[in-house]
Amino acid sequence: MRKLAAAVLVVVLLLSVTAVPSEAWGRHGGHGCCWGGWWLPGAIFGGLALGAVAAATFPPYYAYAAPPPYYAAPPAVVYETAPAYTPPAPPAVQREVVYPHGRYVLYGDGVRQAWQWVWVPAAPAAPPPPPQR
């Protein structure tokens, strides 16, 4: 019985607020302010009433507990030593070019010292031995 009385009271209050005569609230020379009357309470309470009807007829919501959070173990940390620095091997370069009368020798590495070819003459032939007497 109480539920029925409360429902009737809510309906009467909503109708009394939403069904306001436009002449009683008229402005601008007897004309209503907006669309023929004072509409703001009707829009608010009418929207609330429609929302209450929609919420009351919606199927019930059953809240399920969320599954417990899953915490994965952090990955194992493996520290490896950095490989030791080994300077690159010098390129295989022919450093001597030999001719019958001398040779060219290559000096420098091309980075810290510029390349330089140097001519080294061959040793003169030994003089003939003195004649035998």
Side-chain angles (χ1 to χ4, degrees):
M1 184 69 175
R2 282 187 173 179
K3 287 184 180 182
L4 181 62
V8 170
L9 179 64
V10 168
V11 169
V12 169
L13 285 175
L14 288 175
L15 287 177
S16 66
V17 174
T18 58
V20 177
S22 61
E23 287 79 32
W25 296 95
R27 296 179 198 151
H28 309 292
H31 300 293
C33 85
C34 308
W35 299 311
W38 188 62
W39 61 272
L40 183 62
I44 292 174
F45 290 112
L48 289 175
L50 289 176
V53 168
T57 58
F58 197 75
Y61 174 74
Y62 297 105
Y64 294 104
Y70 173 73
Y71 295 105
V77 178
V78 177
Y79 292 102
E80 294 181 11
T81 58
Y85 174 74
T86 56
V93 176
Q94 182 181 359
R95 296 198 172 263
E96 287 189 17
V97 178
V98 181
Y99 292 100
H101 53 278
R103 63 187 171 139
Y104 280 106
V105 179
L106 178 63
Y107 292 105
D109 61 359
V111 176
R112 291 181 301 242
Q113 184 179 0
W115 299 105
Q116 181 180 8
W117 286 101
V118 177
W119 173 253
V120 179
Q132 294 263 349
R133 293 193 209 185

